[in-house]
Amino acid sequence: MIRLFLAGMLTVLGGCMQTQGMDDARALEPSTVTQALPLGTVQVRDINTRPVRFPQRPSESVALGGGVALFVASDELHGTELWRGDGTEAGTSLVKDLSPGLASSGPRLLTLAQGKVFFTAQSGGVDEFGADELWKTDGTLAGTVLVKRLLKTSDLARITAMAQVGGTVFFVYGGSPRQLWKSDGTEAGTVLLKQLASQDCACSFELLSTGTTLFFTGRDAANNLELWKWQGATGAVLLKTISVNANSYLPSHLFTQVGSSLFFTVDKTLWKSDGTPAGTVPVSTQASRISALEAVNGTLFFANSTSLWKSDGTAPVLLRGFDEAPGSLTAFGNALYFVGTDALGGRELWTSNGTAAGTRQVKDLVPGVDGSAPQELVAWNGGLYFTASTTVGTRGLWRGDGTTAGTLALKTWVEETNPWYEKSHDLTPVGSALLFSVPEDAPGVPLNDIPEFTWRTNGTVKGTRELAGLWAGTRNSQSHHHPLGVVGGSVFFVASDGSPGEALWKSDGTAAGTVHLRTLPEVAPETDTWLHKPAAVSVGGTLFFTADDGVHGLELWKSDGTAVGTVLVKDLCAGPDSSSLEDLTALNGTLFFSAYDDVNGWSLWRSDGSEAGTVPVKSMGLGDSSGEVDGLTVMGGLLYFEADDSLHDSGLWKSDGTPEGTSLVKVPFAGRYASLDMLTGVNGTLFFAARDGDGGAQLWKSDGTQSGTVLVKDGFYSLEMSHPVPSRSELYFTADDDVHGYELWRSDGTAAGTYMLADIHPGLRNSAPHSLTPVGSGLVFVAYEDTHGWELWRTDGTQAGTHLLVDLLPGPPGGLRPRSADFLVDIFGLEDRGLALFTGVDMAGGAELWRTDGTVAGTFRMMDLVPGPDSSEPHSFARLGDRLFFMAGDKAHGREPRFLGIPRDLGSATGTAVFQGSTCTGQSQVTPSCTYNSLAPDSTFAWTAPSAGVFTFTTEGSSYDTSLEVSDPASGTSLGCNDDTGETLQSSVGVRLSAGQTVLITVDGYDTECGPFLLHILPSP
């Protein structure tokens, strides 16, 4: 049975913010979280019907044995996670979705020890707030367990290196300072061994295992480089302190073992060590920094900026000079292979047997000075594999045996080349195959945005093929994090059917009304969570947005909801250059925005939707003396923004939309460089953040006059990550005062009334509150701290009333998952319903749709679209009346547009004809428990009993065959269901309720029938 539900009193936000305490100071325990039954949604269209792909971007493989390997990849419904495979579709499966849904746990540093694979990941999603975790796995779901979650020492603390010695795993952890840890695979046995540095430095700390000894690096108090070893019970032994500058470094690829000796480099000097202080000595100093080391059969090869060398621990021998630094040094067989560049053959594949005569080009794949630019050399299964280009616009996978004749192409594909960017093709050994990525042929799509397909090869042309998807389903159509807006009864959004480019679509919630408007190379590019720049805006029934058609650059476009009416408005910067257009804002039925062109420089523009009517309002001038127009904000019928022109430093401006009505309000810091942003109107007062040019940030307010533009409070370290939200007569925002990190603040416009509400993440660490959303008499928001991770918080505007609302997933990383470091957690407010919706995570339901009314009892999972621990991860919300638009995914269809009915709130009304309407305007979402029908459209209502007693709900007098169900909104339990009453085709249900109890009332129809209905709610005498 599928039910729609809504819990708690549905209150309308209004009135003044009341000072009140916590609704329930105790966070919701997992055993008391109210879980609803599955909820039906309507998927309006499967836009991308291309078959699902094999997991993409394979990397970091480790062989488990038995022809099976673990590797890292992502697919249509998961972020970057850990997989296992044998090189075939049938033998490939997800090990565990550590960060459920589209968020990535980002497994790294896969290391085999004790017959298990150890790795680091962030199960809360990869971002600067989440802590790194040490995991281990035997390749099964049950055998993939958390070893230890590391205490976050700073926002940038990461596990950066890992190695094993005798079954013990060692790793480097921290930001400032770095630390050496070891683990026996248990939490108790994962312990700190040694501080590697007493202060911060821009340097690496590396590990190398010889099987019995661990070598590692550190820094002393003067930041000099230290070489250490860790050997059994002896512990840490300092081998050498090397005087270097603060930025000298020792990257892992310059740290290698040759026989019984360790070789490493420090800047231009090659060192060796036999594991004793006396035997740790410099070998040679080169004319330029050493860029690569590789051991081949007891011989060390190394490269600097112009030459290839070898050494046995004595004076190096020059093998050959090159025009560029030899790269990708790789041992294969008994020889070294590398990429070398000379004036005659360009960049090609070379080999060396350790002699000058034996240092030669393997094959001139592209005769002449350009070369084939080989990269990604991998020795596997008796062959040397690499990618190279043989003609302009093509690249391919090659296999070599070290001879000219034996160097052959296995697969070629179309790919634009970029001399400044080497695109990875992810050559990864997995079981019986070498996996690699092939970009789709997508002309005009930026190189880094082209979809990838995973291929496999066994080393033969015949055995090289594309891997198919792991299930029968179609790909995602979603290409943007947010819809563009609602215009004329339709939601506009960007999607892809799999063809090159981005497509503008609209939907009215029906399959027929979900239509493609236009495909362009780029449509409405998004900014990240922190910037809050609108990608589009609706003005007078027209959607305005930015787009690039491949001819005019990124410019202003509009759509009236038809294909022919989706057109370029004006090319502000003639030709392919873009006008840097942003801040699309509606004021009095007119579009305003900021842009740059070669005639006016940075300017405030207005547009009536025509080319002739798109004109600059105010130019700030050309050249270095003028700056960007930014932060367009409407308040009191005027437009406010930040700008600086040739006469003034950065200041606050206002405009009524005319040149003569556009003027400077005030320059907060005359004579000094400043910047203003986060302009927010609150009941006729404009708040904004200002940086004073001396490294500090301040909160200001303005009434639109020079004298009324004044400092509210200074002493902030930064307001750059602010998330300003107006609520009644107060401003809520995020700030860092250099004492507490980024935390939640409020201001009433006075210095005394501007203060931090809670130090959620104590000390200098950031809780990064965001997505502040009015709900009921308070605000809900997302914040991070180490005890709970990312969770839902609430404030009533007082310090005492700012608290954790619910602990969806107890303990870190929490029940809310950022999709990425740039796009954090979205909360979608239904302010008139007193509700907010969000995607929450629990282990029973994965990442699914949750709701909150700001109370513990009223916060629960609304639906489990993909039953069990798998995730549909709904987001990209928009509202069409009583329907919710969002994107969600399942294996059959990928991430596609869906609609969900939002129950109408009937309050506590009683009597005849409490509601009169038609189910024909609804969708088929609910199956009443007393019928088999799931096809007829239905309507659902929330109603709260005004008093205790028996109430009769009836559709008597309706014009078609109805069914009626009353259910509990929290549990989904039916309280009463009826198809036909007596001899009629209408329905009646009697239910005993307590005062204040909220129920859901669903009116449905027989088979596919819909029609006009009456709903009566009658209290029993």
Side-chain angles (χ1 to χ4, degrees):
M1 181 174 64
I2 299 174
R3 294 185 180 85
L4 195 62
F5 58 88
L6 187 67
M9 178 70 75
L10 303 182
T11 57
V12 177
L13 267 173
C16 298
M17 176 72 80
Q18 299 296 315
T19 301
Q20 50 184 285
M22 298 166 62
D23 293 317
D24 186 347
R26 177 182 59 84
L28 189 63
E29 298 298 329
S31 60
T32 63
V33 173
T34 306
Q35 305 294 0
L37 295 180
L39 172 69
T41 66
V42 174
Q43 179 176 304
V44 293
R45 185 158 177 172
D46 193 354
I47 293 173
N48 191 342
T49 58
R50 299 190 180 195
V52 69
R53 295 173 291 176
F54 190 87
Q56 298 100 55
R57 307 308 304 265
S59 65
E60 287 210 50
S61 65
V62 172
L64 275 180
V68 173
L70 299 184
F71 64 101
V72 178
S74 62
D75 70 359
E76 305 287 340
L77 300 177
H78 307 91
T80 302
E81 299 292 350
L82 189 66
W83 294 72
R84 63 173 288 153
D86 60 4
T88 69
E89 292 91 342
T92 301
S93 60
L94 179 68
V95 175
K96 187 170 185 175
D97 190 9
L98 296 183
S99 188
L102 296 179
S104 296
S105 70
R108 298 180 295 114
L109 305 176
L110 276 61
T111 303
L112 187 64
Q114 308 170 16
K116 305 284 197 313
V117 173
F118 288 72
F119 61 96
T120 178
Q122 290 186 0
S123 61
V126 176
D127 62 72
E128 65 181 271
F129 303 98
D132 270 15
E133 300 156 338
L134 181 66
W135 289 74
K136 68 178 181 180
T137 183
D138 60 4
T140 68
L141 176 64
T144 303
V145 295
L146 176 66
V147 176
K148 188 177 182 69
R149 180 179 174 87
L150 280 301
L151 179 65
K152 193 84 169 173
T153 56
S154 73
D155 285 338
L156 299 179
R158 303 292 303 275
I159 296 177
T160 57
M162 192 179 297
Q164 75 88 26
V165 178
T168 297
V169 173
F170 295 83
F171 59 92
V172 175
Y173 175 70
S176 175
R178 299 288 180 88
Q179 304 163 339
L180 178 66
W181 288 65
K182 74 171 183 178
S183 178
D184 62 2
T186 68
E187 182 175 13
T190 302
V191 294
L192 170 66
L193 294 177
K194 179 178 174 54
Q195 297 285 350
L196 297 179
S198 59
Q199 57 183 304
D200 194 18
C201 68
C203 46
S204 297
F205 296 85
E206 304 299 337
L207 306 178
L208 184 140
S209 170
T210 64
T212 59
T213 302
L214 178 79
F215 291 90
F216 61 96
T217 61
R219 294 277 175 160
D220 67 9
N223 238 348
N224 293 310
L225 179 72
E226 298 174 324
L227 179 67
W228 295 76
K229 73 173 182 180
W230 188 279
Q231 193 168 14
T234 305
V237 177
L238 178 63
L239 300 178
K240 199 75 173 180
T241 299
I242 303 170
S243 179
V244 295
N245 64 61
N247 293 320
S248 294
Y249 69 114
L250 195 65
S252 57
H253 63 286
L254 302 189
F255 202 30
T256 192
Q257 181 184 9
V258 182
S260 60
S261 295
L262 170 74
F263 284 84
F264 62 98
T265 66
V266 179
D267 295 326
K268 301 177 183 179
T269 301
L270 177 68
W271 288 71
K272 71 175 181 180
S273 177
D274 62 3
T276 68
T280 303
V281 295
V283 175
S284 173
T285 298
Q286 298 289 300
S288 59
R289 174 170 282 180
I290 298 172
S291 57
L293 298 179
E294 183 73 357
V296 182
N297 284 350
T299 298
L300 176 74
F301 291 84
F302 68 93
N304 63 16
S305 62
T306 58
S307 309
L308 180 70
W309 300 72
K310 75 170 185 179
S311 175
D312 59 3
T314 60
V317 176
L318 174 66
L319 298 177
R320 195 183 191 282
F322 291 90
D323 290 354
E324 298 177 4
S328 301
L329 276 60
T330 304
F332 172 58
N334 296 316
L336 174 78
Y337 290 80
F338 61 97
V339 178
T341 304
D342 67 9
L344 297 178
R347 187 181 301 173
E348 293 289 358
L349 180 66
W350 286 67
T351 186
S352 178
N353 63 4
T355 68
T359 301
R360 59 178 178 81
Q361 187 184 86
V362 175
K363 187 171 185 175
D364 194 5
L365 299 183
V366 178
V369 297
D370 291 332
S372 63
Q375 64 185 59
E376 305 170 279
L377 277 61
V378 174
W380 175 75
N381 200 29
L384 180 72
Y385 295 79
F386 59 95
T387 63
S389 298
T390 53
T391 61
V392 175
T394 64
R395 198 158 184 87
L397 177 70
W398 291 70
R399 181 189 187 277
D401 60 5
T403 68
T404 301
T407 303
L408 303 170
L410 300 175
K411 163 70 180 172
T412 59
W413 57 85
V414 175
E415 180 180 312
E416 291 185 32
T417 56
N418 185 334
W420 308 109
Y421 171 67
E422 288 191 354
K423 182 176 178 62
S424 172
H425 299 87
D426 312 308
L427 276 61
T428 305
V430 175
S432 62
L434 180 72
L435 306 190
F436 62 101
S437 298
V438 175
E440 184 177 19
D441 185 7
V445 177
L447 190 61
N448 212 31
D449 295 336
I450 295 175
E452 304 276 350
F453 297 93
T454 303
W455 284 59
R456 59 156 283 160
T457 184
N458 63 2
T460 68
V461 174
K462 185 177 180 180
T464 302
R465 63 174 178 84
E466 181 184 347
L467 286 162
L470 301 184
W471 60 81
T474 57
R475 292 185 221 162
N476 301 337
S477 72
Q478 182 178 1
S479 59
H480 276 37
H481 287 85
H482 302 100
L484 299 186
V486 176
V487 182
S490 292
V491 178
F492 286 70
F493 59 98
V494 181
S496 171
D497 64 2
S499 302
E502 296 181 337
L504 180 66
W505 287 72
K506 73 169 186 177
S507 177
D508 63 2
T510 67
T514 302
V515 296
H516 168 256
L517 299 177
R518 185 151 184 177
T519 298
L520 299 164
E522 188 174 19
V523 177
E526 293 182 299
T527 57
D528 61 32
T529 296
W530 306 116
L531 294 179
H532 286 278
K533 296 283 188 179
V537 68
S538 171
V539 184
T542 298
L543 183 76
F544 290 90
F545 58 98
T546 57
D548 185 349
D549 62 1
V551 177
H552 300 96
L554 200 62
E555 296 291 354
L556 181 65
W557 285 65
K558 69 176 182 179
S559 178
D560 62 2
T562 68
V564 295
T566 303
V567 296
L568 174 70
V569 175
K570 187 167 186 171
D571 187 12
L572 275 68
C573 273
D577 291 337
S578 299
S579 61
S580 301
L581 190 153
E582 60 181 25
D583 279 333
L584 278 65
T585 305
L587 173 64
N588 298 330
T590 299
L591 173 71
F592 291 85
F593 58 91
S594 64
Y596 179 90
D597 70 276
D598 294 334
V599 176
N600 301 286
W602 285 106
S603 303
L604 173 67
W605 288 71
R606 62 178 291 158
S607 177
D608 62 3
S610 68
E611 182 176 9
T614 302
V615 294
V617 175
K618 173 69 176 178
S619 170
M620 297 300 159
L622 292 165
D624 296 336
S625 62
S626 64
E628 184 176 359
V629 175
D630 193 26
L632 274 63
T633 302
V634 174
M635 187 186 74
L638 295 176
L639 195 65
Y640 290 84
F641 58 95
E642 179 262 348
D644 59 281
D645 61 11
S646 57
L647 301 176
H648 307 92
D649 294 311
S650 183
L652 178 67
W653 290 67
K654 67 180 180 180
S655 177
D656 63 1
T658 66
E660 59 275 11
T662 302
S663 61
L664 175 68
V665 176
K666 187 170 185 174
V667 175
F669 308 108
R672 294 184 294 172
Y673 178 78
S675 60
L676 316 179
D677 56 21
M678 300 300 166
L679 280 65
T680 306
V682 182
N683 283 354
T685 298
L686 183 78
F687 289 86
F688 60 93
R691 267 148 287 278
D692 60 11
D694 292 330
Q698 301 177 343
L699 180 66
W700 284 64
K701 70 176 182 179
S702 177
D703 61 3
T705 67
Q706 183 179 31
S707 61
T709 302
V710 295
L711 172 69
V712 175
K713 188 176 181 64
D714 62 6
F716 293 106
Y717 170 72
S718 178
L719 288 158
E720 291 180 0
M721 289 171 62
S722 298
H723 289 263
V725 173
S727 184
R728 290 82 181 182
S729 59
E730 296 145 344
L731 176 76
Y732 292 82
F733 61 101
T734 302
D736 179 348
D737 64 359
D738 208 18
V739 176
H740 300 97
Y742 287 107
E743 297 292 351
L744 182 63
W745 288 64
R746 60 156 278 175
S747 178
D748 62 2
T750 68
T754 301
Y755 52 85
M756 185 176 68
L757 287 173
D759 189 11
I760 294 172
H761 203 169
L764 288 172
R765 299 286 306 284
N766 302 318
S767 72
H770 62 278
S771 295
L772 277 66
T773 306
V775 176
S777 59
L779 295 173
V780 294
F781 59 96
V782 180
Y784 178 90
E785 41 85 23
D786 286 335
T787 301
H788 301 94
W790 290 109
E791 288 290 0
L792 190 67
W793 288 66
R794 180 186 185 274
T795 183
D796 62 8
T798 69
Q799 292 174 326
T802 302
H803 61 93
L804 177 69
L805 178 59
V806 289
D807 194 6
L808 301 186
L809 191 61
L816 302 177
R817 302 296 166 88
R819 281 168 280 164
S820 69
D822 291 330
F823 293 92
L824 298 184
V825 181
D826 289 332
I827 298 179
F828 186 74
L830 301 173
E831 193 164 353
D832 63 321
R833 305 295 176 92
L835 294 174
L837 308 179
F838 59 95
T839 299
V841 174
D842 64 10
M843 297 316 296
E848 296 291 352
L849 183 64
W850 284 63
R851 51 137 289 168
T852 183
D853 63 2
T855 69
V856 173
T859 303
F860 53 83
R861 177 157 32 96
M862 278 189 68
M863 68 175 189
D864 194 3
L865 184 59
V866 177
D870 289 337
S871 303
S872 69
E873 188 153 332
H875 58 70
S876 304
F877 301 114
R879 183 177 176 181
L880 275 180
D882 291 327
R883 290 172 295 161
L884 179 73
F885 169 91
F886 60 97
M887 290 282 188
D890 58 33
K891 284 189 173 182
H893 306 99
R895 297 192 61 78
E896 295 291 347
R898 301 170 189 261
F899 277 82
L900 170 69
I902 305 171
R904 294 179 178 90
D905 179 25
L906 300 180
S908 298
T910 60
T912 59
V914 167
F915 187 87
Q916 181 175 351
S918 173
T919 55
C920 295
T921 61
Q923 297 172 311
S924 178
Q925 295 188 142
V926 180
T927 302
S929 59
C930 54
T931 71
Y932 66 88
N933 169 55
S934 61
L935 300 177
D938 47 67
S939 296
T940 301
F941 307 88
W943 183 80
T944 303
S947 59
V950 175
F951 295 86
T952 300
F953 304 84
T954 174
T955 59
E956 181 183 353
S958 298
S959 300
Y960 81 113
D961 187 355
T962 66
S963 61
L964 180 68
E965 181 159 39
V966 179
S967 59
D968 177 73
S971 66
T973 302
S974 178
L975 303 178
C977 187
N978 178 255
D979 186 4
D980 299 330
T981 300
E983 301 297 324
T984 74
L985 297 179
Q986 277 74 59
S987 312
S988 180
V989 173
V991 180
R992 180 175 294 279
L993 302 172
S994 58
Q997 182 176 355
T998 298
V999 296
L1000 288 185
I1001 309 160
T1002 299
V1003 178
D1004 208 328
Y1006 172 75
D1007 196 21
T1008 60
E1009 290 184 34
C1010 65
F1013 69 92
L1014 297 171
L1015 177 63
H1016 318 286
I1017 305 176
L1018 305 173
S1020 296

